[in-house]
Amino acid sequence: MTQKAVKAGYENRTGYLFILPWIIGFTAFTLIPFVALFYFAFTDYDLLSSPGWVGLDNFIRMFTVDEKFLTSLKVTFFYVLTAIPLRLIFALFIAMLLNMKIRFVGLYRTAFYIPSIIGGSVAVAVMWGQLFGLNGAVNGIIGLFTGTSPNTSWIANPDTALWTLILMAVWQFGSPMIIFLAGLKNIPDSYYEAAVVDGANGFHRFVKITLPLLTPVILFNLVMQIIGGFMTFTQGLIITSGGPLDRTLFYQLYVYRQGFEFLDMGYAAALSCFLLLIVAVLTALVFKSSSAWVHYESKG
C-alpha cells in the first residue's frame, strides 16, 4: 500500500470520526422516531401493552368518525392563514423602521427581538392569559379610556379566544424581523439613490426595489412560519386548554391529548402522519409558486 493511500485512509477515518456524533444523534432522535411514527400509525397502541396491527383503521376513523379531527384542523388552518401573514407584514414593517439610521437602533432591535425568544415559554403563556382574563390589564386599559371596563374574559369568550392567540403570534415577530433586516441590509443604496434621481417616491421605491429584492427572504420566512404555525401547541394548552368550545383546539394539542391523555398512541401517530403530509404539500406548493413571484438578482 502506497504512502498516499495510507494518508487518504487516515483522512477518511478522521472525517467519519468527526461526523459520528451527528450520525448517532440523527439516528437516535430523528430517523428511528420517524420510522416508529409510521409504524405506530397502523397499530392500536396504548403505551402500556404491545402494539397490534390494525392497518388503515386509524386513518378511516380520522375521516369518518372523529369530528374533533376536523375541528382541530379548521382551527389550525384559520390560525396559520391569519396569524402568519399578519406576523410577516408586521415584521417587515418593523424591520424597515429599524433599517433607518437612528440613535440606539441596536437597543431597539434587541427589545423587539426579545418576545420571539421568550414567546413560546410557559411563563409568557400564563402572563398572556392573565392579561386577557376577566380582571386582566387589557380590560383595565379599555376601562381607562372608555370609563367602563368590559365584563368579559377575552380568552374565555368563544368569539375572541382564538384572536388573542393570533395577537400573541403577531407579537412574536422578532425572528422573521431579524431575517427581513438582514435582507434589507443586502439591498445596495445605489438602487435607491438612482430611483430618487428619477423622481420615485417612497411607495414606488418600496414596490419597485425593496419588495422584489426581498422576495427570496419572504419565501424563506413564509416557509419557516408555515411550518412553525402548524406546530403551535403551548399557547393552546396553557392559556385556553383548547377551549372554549374547542375554538382553540390546535391540531398539535389534539395529537397530544390522543397520545398522552387518552393513551391512544396509534391514533396520535396517524394524526401526526397526516399533519406531516399537510405541511409537506403546502411547502411544496409555496416552492412551486415561487418561480412566479420570487426574484433572484443573479438571474437578472
Side-chain angles (χ1 to χ4, degrees), residues 21 33 35 37 39 49 56 64 71 88 137 147 156 169 184 199 241 255 265 291 300:
V35 173
L37 171 73
Y39 170 69
S49 54
L56 295 174
T64 59
T71 302
L88 291 180
L184 290 170
S241 296
V255 172
M265 189 58 73
S291 59

Side-chain angles (χ1 to χ4, degrees), residues 4 24 29 43 48 53 79 102 106 110 121 136-137 143 152 168 183 192 213 215 235 251 261 267 269 271 276 280 282:
K4 188 176 180 181
I24 294 173
F29 300 111
T43 65
L48 303 175
W53 187 263
Y79 176 83
I102 54 178
T110 304
S121 69
T152 182
M168 183 179 184
Y192 294 108
L213 294 181
T215 47
Q235 298 91 326
Y251 197 90
E261 292 185 11
Y267 188 55
L271 290 168
L276 180 66
L282 286 178

Side-chain angles (χ1 to χ4, degrees), residues 155-171:
I155 59 172
N157 188 326
D159 295 327
T160 58
L162 185 56
W163 283 104
T164 62
L165 302 188
I166 290 172
L167 184 62
M168 183 179 184
V170 176
W171 174 65

Side-chain angles (χ1 to χ4, degrees), residues 112-146:
F112 282 120
Y113 185 64
I114 285 177
S116 69
I117 300 175
I118 62 174
S121 69
V122 173
V124 171
V126 172
M127 180 200 74
W128 203 261
Q130 295 294 324
L131 284 175
F132 287 88
L134 183 61
N135 300 313
V138 172
N139 280 346
I141 294 172
I142 293 175
L144 196 64
F145 287 99
T146 63

Side-chain angles (χ1 to χ4, degrees), residues 175-247:
S175 178
M177 177 203 72
I178 290 294
I179 298 171
F180 277 136
L181 192 57
L184 290 170
K185 292 289 183 189
N186 283 330
I187 300 176
D189 291 336
S190 57
Y191 291 2
Y192 294 108
E193 293 167 359
V196 170
V197 172
D198 290 339
N201 58 30
F203 177 75
H204 288 145
R205 293 198 296 273
F206 174 75
V207 173
K208 299 294 184 181
I209 299 175
T210 305
L211 215 48
L213 294 181
L214 214 55
T215 47
V217 180
I218 294 174
L219 172 65
F220 175 80
N221 266 337
L222 181 62
V223 171
M224 297 305 294
Q225 294 301 315
I226 287 176
I227 296 172
F230 279 100
M231 298 294 110
T232 302
F233 170 73
T234 307
Q235 298 91 326
L237 177 67
I238 302 299
I239 300 176
T240 59
S241 296
L245 302 176
D246 293 334
R247 294 297 176 87

